[in-house]
Amino acid sequence: MKPEISMDDEFFMRQALIEAKKSLPEEEVPVGAILVSGNKILSRGHNQPITRKDPTAHAEIMAIRKACSKRKEYRLADCDLYVTLEPCAMCLGAAIQARIKRLIFGAYDPKGGAVESLMEFPFDRMNHQPEIKGGVLADECGRILSDFFLKKRKPKTKS
């Protein structure tokens, strides 16, 4: 069953997809994230762990860091986080620590998704749980990842 998608959720997920495409020239896994407050984009991030030589430089973390720096605050309780791929445990943990209000993600990640695919995060033991909506524009969000990995696995031919 596909989630009911609001016009705002679709618009902001498309913005996260635009951000994900910024990872492609860097040969990073194309994941994008947008932090929204009051229907305005507060920050953007895309995957950069290879480029930055930093295993924590996931799209969500990059967007959260930028927003916190911009606000000079470590809590983002009025913010919605849009990300093109179901967050891993690290990124979901960061969203919880930042007190993100809503987490909206696109494609499910059977190999690393911590919301429900690979594991179910122990929200019942946490002091904060964001409202979560998964599968928003899942086909488009999944396609950019599939295309990336198909291209990466394709044998290189000599010209």
Side-chain angles (χ1 to χ4, degrees), residues 98-122:
R99 303 298 193 265
I100 299 294
K101 184 170 86 177
R102 294 175 65 226
L103 168 64
I104 304 93
F105 67 89
Y108 285 85
D109 183 2
K111 293 184 178 181
V115 176
E116 62 183 85
S117 292
L118 178 64
M119 64 178 273
E120 288 188 29
F121 204 82

Side-chain angles (χ1 to χ4, degrees), residues 37-72:
S37 174
N39 244 10
K40 291 188 174 145
I41 295 173
L42 178 61
S43 66
R44 300 169 180 268
H46 60 278
N47 267 4
Q48 295 182 293
I50 297 166
T51 305
R52 291 181 175 262
K53 296 172 182 34
D54 177 358
T56 68
H58 290 198
E60 302 94 321
I61 303 289
M62 300 305 290
I64 289 169
R65 285 178 180 160
K66 288 176 188 173
C68 289
S69 178
K70 194 180 226 180
R71 286 192 166 175
K72 297 178 181 16

Side-chain angles (χ1 to χ4, degrees), residues 51-96:
T51 305
R52 291 181 175 262
K53 296 172 182 34
D54 177 358
T56 68
H58 290 198
E60 302 94 321
I61 303 289
M62 300 305 290
I64 289 169
R65 285 178 180 160
K66 288 176 188 173
C68 289
S69 178
K70 194 180 226 180
R71 286 192 166 175
K72 297 178 181 16
E73 174 62 54
Y74 76 108
R75 298 282 196 228
L76 302 168
D78 66 327
C79 293
D80 298 337
L81 176 61
Y82 290 83
V83 60
T84 58
L85 183 65
E86 178 182 5
C88 68
M90 174 183 69
C91 293
L92 183 55
I96 290 166

Side-chain angles (χ1 to χ4, degrees), residues 119-151:
M119 64 178 273
E120 288 188 29
F121 204 82
F123 287 113
D124 59 333
R125 291 182 250 156
M126 302 302 293
N127 58 1
H128 176 72
Q129 179 176 355
E131 178 187 324
I132 297 172
K133 185 190 290 189
V136 175
L137 301 182
D139 292 341
E140 292 97 318
C141 292
R143 191 172 308 113
I144 190 173
L145 290 159
S146 299
D147 291 349
F148 172 79
F149 286 113
L150 278 173
K151 185 178 175 186

